[in-house]
Amino acid sequence: MNVRNIILILLLAFTCRAQADTLDYHQFGLLGIQDSGRRKPVDTFARETLLRISGSPAYTGSDGRVWTAPDFLLSVLFDTHDWRKEPLILIPYHPLADRLGAATTLPSLIQQAQQLTSQQKEVPRELKEAESLATRMESFGHLLDNSGFAIVPPPPTATSDRWAVPTPENDAYDQAGYKVAMDELSQMAQAYNASNGFDFSVHAARLRKALRDLNPAAYPTDSMLQLEYTYNHLRAFMWAVIIYGVAFVVLLIANASKGKAKVLTVCGLVLAVAGVLTQATGIAMRCIIAGRPPVTNMFESVVWVSFGIMLFAFIFLLRYRALTYLLAALPVSLTCLLLVQQLPVAMPEAIDPLVPVLRSNYWLTIHVLTITLSYAAFALAMGFGHIVLFRFIRNPLNASEDATLHFWLYRILQLGVILLATGTILGGVWANYSWGRFWGWDPKETWALIALLCYIFVLHGRVVGWWDQFGLALASVVCFCAVVMTWYGVNFVLGKGLHSYGFGIGGEKYVAGLICADLAYVAVAAIRYRKAAPLLAAMELEEEEDPEDEIARV
């Protein structure tokens, strides 16, 4: 036997071994399951459960093995690993971990939180985190006792739509059909334990068919299961991050060349369009899966605002032929998508059923979409304001003369004010429809009004001449803090009011860090502008034409 044949045999043996050790979880992931009031693929259930428990979409065990979400789920269900000895459950709040380590019991903390809630008092962050930890432990417990693996649809004659966990026998179903399903489940488990990828996929597909035959009307269609599975693995928003990042770098280089690199400009525009289409694909798939607009939790609203920023940027780009809009929009939209990627615990991607107050697609669409689009307009104005402030930092004299740039910023702020005012009024109408009153000074309502008044004050002050172009640019950045408080602060910091369906915890350090960095940037620009103020005043005295007339003509 020559060397060539030996190498071929070794390669064949290695390939067979790799195939034997690797399982394809596609067919298993397409099984239907009922969880948190929604029917979904097992692939989604595994991902959401592992992320909720460990804070990561994959888990590295104490032995160094990396467990994917489906592998983790199957291992727990079939008891192939001692998961009780793994440091699996996430405790992101270090003061809580220290307190639990000091012999304080978790039930006592939860009891304190419940007492404060019943007395309508403020619940400290530590107690909120304790409740979240209890939820993670409960989810893990449901996996360990198999009570969370509800893959058996209700029988056709059942009065409840509650799914059941698989058991050896169940008299509520046709015994022959139920036995077929349980046999397929058993053979799938054997194939998993034996690392037999072919048999595992075959029996997973047969199990799905057998379970659907128990009640075809209650079981999700293959097309819907496949759509959500594709959404999970497509990772459209992550790809949008990459495309937006490359597009921003290309357009930045093109802009620095001052029009000489037209090929780069075209490439940057094509990449930006590709990023928008990729993000739109992810949003559209999510809408079809959920059957509603994508703005019912913080993850969805951040993704939607990111998309709105790019949408407005292209609208203004087509209207004014100004590449500056994309240069302002791309980093802001990119930051939004990076936040949801880096904070999966604070902003979980899970698609949950709507709370009763939101179960009106009409009001949900016209009010929430309008409000969040106003956030997108103000975020674009904030990004645009950074560009204007940078011009003042670099050369205050040249920046003050660019009336067109300030006019474009003014237009974005006008759009944001119109959308926020409309959304606030529509919110009052919806509140009257849902809660029986138009306005109740709820924290969410109050901060929406504060943000609106801030921007109205900015626009009014510019019209009557209280501040110049620099003041408008500075205000476009600083006033966005009011939007952040309305959008994030009320839900994640205050945690009070009737808008409790949007409450959450976490991410404060990231948001506070971004705000502090922004304010430092504004301070640098203000110092630079103040030093150049005497020269700017001298230039204004020499001008024969009023700058206001120039802006009006533009």
Side-chain angles (χ1 to χ4, degrees):
M1 183 179 292
N2 57 33
V3 176
R4 181 174 177 272
N5 290 336
I6 294 175
I7 294 175
L8 288 175
I9 292 173
L10 290 175
L11 287 174
L12 181 62
F14 177 79
T15 303
C16 293
R17 177 62 182 170
Q19 290 177 346
D21 291 341
T22 303
L23 296 179
D24 182 1
Y25 298 103
H26 182 201
Q27 294 298 328
F28 171 72
L30 291 177
L31 285 172
I33 189 172
Q34 188 183 64
D35 174 58
S36 301
R38 192 172 76 86
R39 295 173 298 171
K40 63 184 74 170
V42 163
D43 180 76
T44 301
F45 171 74
R47 287 167 173 266
E48 292 176 354
T49 303
L50 181 57
L51 185 61
R52 185 187 310 121
I53 293 173
S54 69
S56 174
Y59 176 74
T60 303
S62 55
D63 57 355
R65 175 178 174 179
V66 178
W67 297 82
T68 62
D71 194 14
F72 161 76
L73 177 62
L74 287 163
S75 176
V76 175
L77 293 175
F78 300 145
D79 197 22
T80 64
H81 184 78
D82 191 357
W83 288 100
R84 290 178 176 83
K85 294 183 179 179
E86 292 283 350
L88 177 68
I89 300 178
L90 174 70
I91 307 179
Y93 193 59
H94 296 298
L96 174 62
D98 295 339
R99 186 167 179 182
L100 291 175
T104 301
T105 60
L106 184 62
S108 65
L109 297 178
I110 296 174
Q111 184 178 8
Q112 294 177 39
Q114 293 173 344
Q115 290 176 349
L116 292 174
T117 302
S118 63
Q119 297 170 4
Q120 297 184 346
K121 294 182 179 180
E122 183 177 357
V123 180
R125 168 71 182 275
E126 186 176 273
L127 299 184
K128 291 180 182 179
E129 292 284 357
E131 291 181 314
S132 296
L133 175 59
T135 302
R136 295 187 191 100
M137 295 178 67
E138 183 180 12
S139 297
F140 186 48
H142 287 325
L143 285 186
L144 291 175
D145 62 14
N146 290 351
S147 62
F149 195 57
I151 62 171
V152 183
T157 57
T159 57
S160 172
D161 62 353
R162 184 180 180 85
W163 288 35
V165 297
T167 54
E169 296 180 357
N170 194 321
D171 296 335
Y173 299 88
D174 172 68
Q175 291 303 300
Y178 189 81
K179 185 178 184 303
V180 170
M182 294 303 101
D183 287 345
E184 293 296 341
L185 177 61
S186 175
Q187 293 182 62
M188 186 188 75
Q190 294 175 17
Y192 170 76
N193 290 327
S195 296
N196 188 329
F198 178 79
D199 287 351
F200 177 76
S201 295
V202 168
H203 291 300
R206 290 176 179 174
L207 173 60
R208 185 171 74 255
K209 182 181 182 303
L211 291 172
R212 176 178 282 112
D213 290 342
L214 295 177
N215 189 347
Y219 210 86
T221 63
D222 278 341
S223 60
M224 288 302 298
L225 292 170
Q226 183 62 56
L227 176 66
E228 189 163 349
Y229 183 91
T230 303
Y231 168 81
N232 292 337
H233 292 264
L234 180 62
R235 304 182 71 183
F237 304 129
M238 185 203 70
W239 281 110
V241 167
I242 297 172
I243 297 172
Y244 284 156
V246 176
F248 178 64
V249 172
V250 172
L251 288 176
L252 205 59
I253 297 173
N255 184 69
S257 68
K258 300 189 182 299
K260 296 179 181 179
K262 293 184 179 180
V263 175
L264 285 179
T265 301
V266 173
C267 290
L269 289 173
V270 171
L271 284 170
V273 171
V276 170
L277 293 178
T278 302
Q279 190 173 1
T281 300
I283 293 174
M285 294 175 71
R286 192 176 178 93
C287 288
I288 296 172
I289 294 167
R292 53 172 171 76
V295 286
T296 59
N297 57 38
M298 184 58 73
F299 174 90
E300 292 177 343
S301 68
V302 172
V303 170
W304 174 251
V305 167
S306 170
F307 178 73
I309 293 169
M310 295 301 300
L311 183 64
F312 287 143
F314 273 104
I315 291 174
F316 281 108
L317 172 65
L318 294 174
R319 173 65 179 84
Y320 296 111
R321 299 292 191 272
L323 195 62
T324 312
Y325 283 108
L326 277 183
L327 291 173
L330 282 168
V332 181
S333 182
L334 184 63
T335 301
C336 289
L337 292 179
L338 283 174
L339 282 174
V340 297
Q341 297 289 332
Q342 294 299 316
L343 300 173
V345 176
M347 292 183 281
E349 191 177 354
I351 301 175
D352 296 321
L354 294 177
V355 297
V357 72
L358 294 179
R359 290 174 188 170
S360 170
N361 271 357
Y362 173 75
W363 288 110
L364 182 64
T365 301
I366 66 171
H367 165 61
V368 182
L369 289 186
T370 304
I371 284 287
T372 48
L373 284 176
S374 75
Y375 297 167
F378 290 134
L380 177 58
M382 184 263 294
F384 205 100
H386 278 79
I387 293 177
V388 177
L389 290 180
F390 176 76
R391 290 172 61 84
F392 274 101
I393 292 173
R394 188 176 58 179
N395 192 327
L397 301 182
N398 290 342
S400 62
E401 294 177 348
D402 196 345
T404 305
L405 201 64
H406 303 106
F407 175 76
W408 292 338
L409 174 59
Y410 189 79
R411 279 287 183 259
I412 306 172
L413 292 172
Q414 285 179 315
L415 174 64
V417 167
I418 292 172
L419 289 171
L420 183 56
T422 303
T424 302
I425 294 171
L426 291 173
V429 175
W430 190 10
N432 184 58
Y433 175 79
S434 299
W435 299 322
R437 92 288 187 281
F438 182 84
W439 193 268
W441 296 107
D442 182 79
K444 195 75 169 180
E445 301 167 351
T446 304
W447 274 101
L449 179 61
I450 291 172
L452 177 61
L453 292 177
C454 286
Y455 282 102
I456 290 177
F457 180 71
V458 169
L459 294 182
H460 178 72
R462 183 68 190 93
V463 170
V464 300
W466 289 348
W467 38 75
D468 56 9
Q469 295 95 330
F470 177 80
L472 187 69
L474 184 144
S476 67
V477 177
V478 174
C479 286
F480 193 72
C481 293
V483 174
V484 173
M485 186 63 196
T486 307
W487 186 17
Y488 169 83
V490 173
N491 290 346
F492 282 72
V493 179
L494 295 182
K496 295 181 179 180
L498 293 173
H499 294 74
S500 58
Y501 46 82
F503 290 176
I505 52 177
E508 293 91 343
K509 293 181 180 179
Y510 287 87
V511 176
L514 289 173
I515 291 177
C516 289
D518 233 11
L519 294 179
Y521 181 82
V522 169
V524 171
I527 294 172
R528 180 79 171 108
Y529 176 75
R530 187 168 182 81
K531 288 182 178 180
L535 293 176
L536 293 173
M539 287 179 56
E540 290 179 1
L541 292 176
E542 295 175 359
E543 289 179 353
E544 297 178 358
E545 185 177 6
D546 189 352
E548 294 290 341
D549 296 334
E550 185 182 354
I551 294 177
R553 286 203 306 274
V554 173

